[in-house]
Amino acid sequence: STLTIQPGAIIDAREYAIIVNGTLVATDADFISTVTGSSSSHGAGLWTGIIGNQNSQITLDRVSISGAETALLNYGDASVSLSSLQDVYIGIDNHGDLTLSNTSILASDVYGIRNQGNMEVHFANISNSSVGLINTGQLSVYDTQIGNSAVGFDLDSGTASLQRISTTGMLVGIASQEGANVDVYSWIGTDLALALDLSNSDNFSLEYAVVDGSRFVYATSLQSSSIVDSTFTG
């Protein structure tokens, strides 16, 4: 079955979850919670969030989601565009197939995005998260900025292609580990305590970067990396 939420609707989820086993389509709608009680100081975790189970289809266009534990937990097929996710523990937790475009994720206590499936991110803005984006799946990111986070991109495993990205004001700009296939092209980084944490990376590539901060690269048992046409000031 299909649930269509029309423009202008305000969905008060209270303390519940919205569980999708069919199709959810929402345009120009707000998902909120009017519940007061135990949550973080900025209202994260008041309700569970939107959950798309396997074989679900979710399309969110120009929506706002606030006060959730996880704004969108996806195991199916989802698309989010021109939207705002804020005051959550996790913005998006993807285990399925998801496309995110022209969307802001603000004030997420844990992760802005956690990808364990297949995900494309275009023109996103992530700020004030512990980790902006963590990946263990298949990830493509274009024209995206992350600011004011402990770690910008945490690439633990899987495959990640990052193009035209920026990171500002954080402890670590990009972190990569053994088993992660990472290709970064065109990166601007400012005010970084550590630009690259390459740990024991065995397949990391960076081309065209302009970065400033305290330290450019730190690694403990680096196996293989390539950094070309890059400038670091620190």
Side-chain angles (χ1 to χ4, degrees), residues 132-177:
L133 191 156
I134 183 168
N135 179 64
T136 57
Q138 307 299 311
L139 175 70
S140 295
V141 178
Y142 304 92
D143 302 292
T144 290
Q145 58 185 8
I146 300 178
N148 301 318
S149 302
V151 180
F153 294 89
D154 188 357
L155 310 171
D156 286 348
S157 61
T159 300
S161 174
L162 315 179
Q163 297 187 35
R164 298 181 301 277
I165 61 169
S166 67
T167 56
T168 304
M170 56 189 60
L171 296 178
V172 179
I174 298 174
S176 176
Q177 297 188 32

Side-chain angles (χ1 to χ4, degrees), residues 10 31 131 143 174 202 234:
I10 299 174
F31 295 83
V131 176
D143 302 292
I174 298 174
D202 56 358

